[in-house]
Amino acid sequence: MGRYVIRRLLQMIPVFIGSTFLIFFMVYALGDPVAALFGDRAPDPATAAQIRRDLHLNDSLGEQYLIYMRNIFTGDFGTAFNGQAVTSLMGSAFPVTIRLTLVAVVFEVVIGIALGVVTGLRRGRPVDTGVLLLTLVVISVPTFVTGYVLQYIFGVRLRWTAPSVSPSAPVGELLLPGLVLALVSLAYVTRLTRTSIAENTRADYVRTAVAKGLPQRRVIVRHLLRNSLIPVVTFIGTDIGALMGGAIVTERIFNIHGVGFQLYQGILRNNAPTVVGFVTILVLVFLIANLLVDLLYAVLDPRIRYA
Amino acid sequence: MPDAQDPLEPVDPHQAVAPAGGYGGGFDLAAADAQILEGPAGRAQDGGPLAKPRSLWSDAWHDLRRNPIFIVSALIILFLLFIVIWPQAITTQDPLKANLAMSQAGPSAGHPFGFDNQGRDVYTRVVYGARASVSVGLCATIGVVLAGSALGALAGYFGGWWDAVLSRISDIFFGIPVILGGLVFLSVVTNSTIWPVVGFMVLLGWPQVARIARGSVITARQNDYVLAARALGAGDSRLLLRHIAPNAVAPVIVVGTIALGTYIALEATLSYLGVGLRPPTVSWGIDISDASNQIRNAPHMLLWPAGALSLTVLAFIMLGDAVRDALDPKLR
């Protein structure tokens, strides 16, 4: 196990360098950050030259990347367009997005697994067909459409919840955005649980558990569910990184000042430190989530052993 | 020793889902299910010893013709293709003609969906919007499938360092969340054609297909008929193209069909965020984005293009689902 973890961590290094360099390259090579700082006005040449020197923009791209990475490892992510340190933006944005992601994951787990178990146990019945079609519809409707429609219905028409989220983003206000963010993944969790449950209902250990007279509830929860949830858990684990990255649309609809909002601002203003910094953290979260999922997999399924 | 994570691969295609936030999810579903398809050559022939054994494809076609989901989605897609090629058949108006006096007006005679913010006919814009969506979806899928299956097949067939390098490169692309990548890559593009969007989708989409193609080529490579052909002196290219590819292509087709729907949704999302297609191109995503500020006054401006978009994506995803069921030997 230890050797496996070390090898996976080593494998993460080139991936981390590659993806951050790719983003770095795109942000720096394609736009002029100095011009972007000045908006519509033309910068004073001397000031522009000074800024270029301060930001190391005259160095080669490789050198710039090295300088940037060295700063990151000393905790210096640079400054955003408004002079705030990127780290302080992160400090305010990440807690919000993490809360939003957690709300979404709770929806996925509770509703997705419940629907999956119900349909998996009643395969081919009307409930099953109905839910399956519903998941297809949910997967097909883009997040920004469901977002606006649900915001209109629950926030504007019924007034059950605030249509947009206040800057402090308490969990109560994040319920609707969390549901919107979760919906597509929720449909996948339902389908995955359904397939997994349906496959395992015919397993020997389920028959044994029924034969020795266990009540149905116990068979389902202790025997069937426990074994069927392994792929679901891995899916949810990897999905956390995706949800944090995908929150950009949801955050825009509900005016949530999280990671997506800051990134969007950074991109609009061509502020490389904000964009590269946030994306670097997201890539890290994604890589670590993947690693944890693989390790979790071995814990959940004792048949898998890592050399 | 091969990678210790190999036993995990079949249940761990979910890495593929992550970049998309939502839409890449489609690949994941396809990927998870396509695993079942690997090695279609090993499936039993039905029809008994006397009946002429049907090929995988005629079997699949036999199933598909009886699947109501396939029929419905195929009809929707045929209709879409029809209005993509010939939009004038069902609307006589100009999608760009604006009449500000009619801004946000509701439905009226000759304008069943009403008018948008600029006073353009929503119905006509919905009809013309199919053009951008379907062409982006088709071009991106063709590009992704060609690039992904070629690279994946070579990696699966030759293995070794080529495989290792390709796997690491695809890991890098998996590590970039799709919508974020789209914002970064496309925000500097000023070209208003569909090609930057298509190019971006191919750039970030190929690893998903490559992973599937690699897996199914590895399975097909070990079959007896491949060894037999090699023993008879067939070269690499002949083995790959004549013997392995036909038996490894089914999972790629399934992933491609479902991906088509997700690319259409992704195009709309990018256009909604302002980095995808740009006016004057008529796109459902742009229209939805324009309408989203006015949802309280004039929800019809949002609901019609959103409905058309959702129906289109649904049709392609249902088609992919049906094709997967038909090609899946496990369900027989």
Side-chain angles (χ1 to χ4, degrees):
Chain A
M1 191 80 167
R3 275 180 57 196
Y4 175 75
V5 174
I6 292 169
R7 205 180 54 221
R8 282 295 302 267
L9 285 172
L10 288 178
Q11 275 180 2
M12 271 165 58
I13 295 172
V15 176
F16 176 75
I17 294 175
S19 39
T20 48
F21 185 74
L22 205 61
I23 292 286
F24 192 86
F25 173 75
M26 295 312 289
V27 174
Y28 275 89
L30 294 174
D32 182 357
V34 178
L37 271 179
F38 287 84
D40 297 331
R41 288 173 298 152
D44 166 45
T47 319
Q50 177 68 37
I51 295 174
R52 296 193 77 82
R53 212 165 28 247
D54 290 348
L55 295 177
H56 307 283
L57 291 177
N58 298 323
D59 298 345
S60 74
L61 198 69
E63 281 173 273
Q64 289 186 43
Y65 178 74
L66 285 181
I67 293 170
Y68 181 78
M69 278 295 145
R70 201 178 58 214
N71 288 341
I72 275 191
F73 282 103
T74 56
D76 175 12
F77 278 82
T79 46
F81 67 91
N82 56 5
Q84 254 183 305
V86 173
T87 39
S88 85
L89 283 187
M90 288 175 174
S92 67
F94 269 97
V96 173
T97 298
I98 289 171
R99 267 205 298 279
L100 179 65
T101 310
L102 284 180
V103 172
V105 170
V106 169
F107 274 118
E108 263 179 51
V109 170
V110 175
I111 305 179
I113 293 180
L115 284 178
V117 171
V118 169
T119 52
L121 292 174
R122 290 178 182 70
R123 217 149 72 131
R125 306 266 189 84
V127 190
D128 178 36
T129 323
V131 172
L132 264 193
L133 280 177
L134 197 67
T135 56
L136 276 185
V137 172
V138 166
I139 292 169
S140 310
V141 184
T143 311
F144 62 102
V145 173
T146 39
Y148 279 117
V149 171
L150 294 185
Q151 183 190 42
Y152 180 66
I153 294 174
F154 294 112
V156 180
R157 272 292 166 87
L158 299 175
R159 296 183 175 281
W160 286 2
T161 172
S164 60
V165 177
S166 52
S168 61
V171 171
E173 290 181 2
L174 290 177
L175 288 180
L176 185 62
L179 180 66
V180 169
L181 179 61
L183 266 179
V184 173
S185 305
L186 199 157
Y188 284 119
V189 169
T190 304
R191 295 181 71 111
L192 210 57
T193 313
R194 171 184 175 273
T195 318
S196 184
I197 290 264
E199 267 173 19
N200 286 335
T201 39
R202 283 175 299 216
D204 289 342
Y205 63 84
V206 173
R207 199 179 326 130
T208 311
V210 173
K212 72 182 183 188
L214 288 184
Q216 196 198 5
R217 188 183 186 79
R218 200 173 158 82
V219 174
I220 292 174
V221 174
R222 289 298 295 273
H223 295 263
L224 184 55
L225 206 54
R226 191 176 163 177
N227 284 285
S228 306
L229 284 187
I230 294 172
V232 181
V233 168
T234 57
F235 173 81
I236 293 172
T238 41
D239 200 40
I240 288 175
L243 286 175
M244 289 183 70
I248 200 162
V249 173
T250 318
E251 291 186 357
R252 189 171 170 210
I253 295 172
F254 293 96
N255 191 33
I256 302 170
H257 289 201
V259 170
F261 174 81
Q262 298 294 357
L263 259 171
Y264 196 66
Q265 296 296 321
I267 289 164
L268 283 185
R269 302 187 189 260
N270 208 343
N271 184 263
T274 315
V275 178
V276 183
F278 275 85
V279 173
T280 304
I281 299 285
L282 285 177
V283 168
L284 261 184
V285 168
F286 175 68
L287 290 176
I288 292 172
N290 270 334
L291 174 66
L292 288 180
V293 161
D294 281 358
L295 298 181
L296 193 64
Y297 206 90
V299 175
L300 288 174
D301 189 345
R303 284 170 300 186
I304 293 174
R305 285 275 170 263
Y306 296 117
Chain B
M1 191 196 132
D3 204 337
Q5 79 191 79
D6 269 351
L8 274 178
E9 290 288 357
V11 279
D12 192 23
H14 309 304
Q15 297 184 338
V17 78
Y23 304 124
F27 307 120
D28 173 67
L29 180 71
D33 290 327
Q35 301 292 338
I36 303 166
L37 283 169
E38 285 174 7
R43 49 193 288 282
Q45 302 281 3
D46 54 8
L50 291 177
K52 183 173 180 287
R54 283 196 304 244
S55 75
L56 174 71
W57 305 105
S58 64
D59 244 2
W61 176 236
H62 182 83
D63 278 7
L64 280 178
R65 272 181 312 182
R66 281 159 190 74
N67 186 344
I69 288 186
F70 171 76
I71 295 170
V72 171
S73 56
L75 285 177
I76 298 175
I77 291 168
L78 284 179
F79 178 70
L80 269 172
L81 291 178
F82 173 69
I83 62 170
V84 164
I85 296 165
W86 196 26
Q88 294 86 352
I90 57 167
T91 176
T92 51
Q93 298 171 59
D94 179 355
L96 298 177
K97 184 168 164 281
N99 177 3
L100 278 177
M102 299 303 288
S103 175
Q104 300 190 11
S108 56
H111 306 282
F113 296 175
F115 293 86
D116 72 1
N117 212 18
Q118 313 278 343
R120 295 170 299 197
D121 182 45
V122 173
Y123 170 73
T124 308
R125 289 187 69 81
V126 167
V127 171
Y128 276 86
R131 216 168 235 195
S133 291
V134 173
S135 41
V136 168
L138 279 178
C139 295
T141 307
I142 292 171
V144 165
V145 165
L146 287 182
S149 52
L151 291 170
L154 291 177
Y157 183 77
F158 290 108
W161 67 268
W162 167 245
D163 186 20
V165 169
L166 207 75
S167 295
R168 292 289 87 77
I169 294 178
S170 60
D171 281 350
I172 291 174
F173 284 99
F174 274 129
I176 300 176
V178 168
I179 294 176
L180 283 182
L183 279 171
V184 175
F185 292 173
L186 296 172
S187 63
V188 286
V189 177
T190 48
N191 188 331
S192 70
T193 63
I194 63 169
W195 299 114
V197 179
V198 171
F200 164 73
M201 288 178 181
V202 175
L203 186 71
L204 256 74
W206 69 265
Q208 276 133 353
V209 172
R211 201 167 263 199
I212 304 289
R214 173 182 173 270
S216 64
V217 164
I218 287 178
T219 316
R221 185 181 66 176
Q222 291 148 355
N223 284 324
D224 288 342
Y225 58 80
V226 176
L227 298 178
R230 191 194 295 279
L232 288 171
D236 284 334
S237 60
R238 188 179 169 82
L239 279 178
L240 254 177
L241 293 176
R242 292 295 297 272
H243 297 276
I244 295 178
N247 291 295
V249 78
V252 173
I253 287 181
V254 171
V255 182
T257 323
I258 295 182
L260 217 167
T262 61
Y263 287 140
I264 290 177
L266 179 61
E267 178 273 307
T269 305
L270 292 171
S271 300
Y272 158 76
L273 289 171
V275 295
L277 302 177
R278 286 143 211 252
T281 307
V282 184
S283 151
W284 292 329
I286 298 174
D287 284 5
I288 294 170
S289 173
D290 289 347
S292 61
N293 299 324
Q294 306 292 335
I295 186 164
R296 285 159 213 210
N297 321 324
H300 69 270
M301 288 169 13
L302 184 132
L303 294 178
W304 289 111
L309 170 66
S310 307
L311 189 67
T312 306
V313 179
L314 180 66
F316 281 106
I317 289 184
M318 286 197 317
L319 182 77
D321 231 35
V323 170
R324 186 196 54 231
D325 286 351
L327 287 174
D328 184 348
K330 245 195 178 177
L331 291 175
R332 285 166 201 282

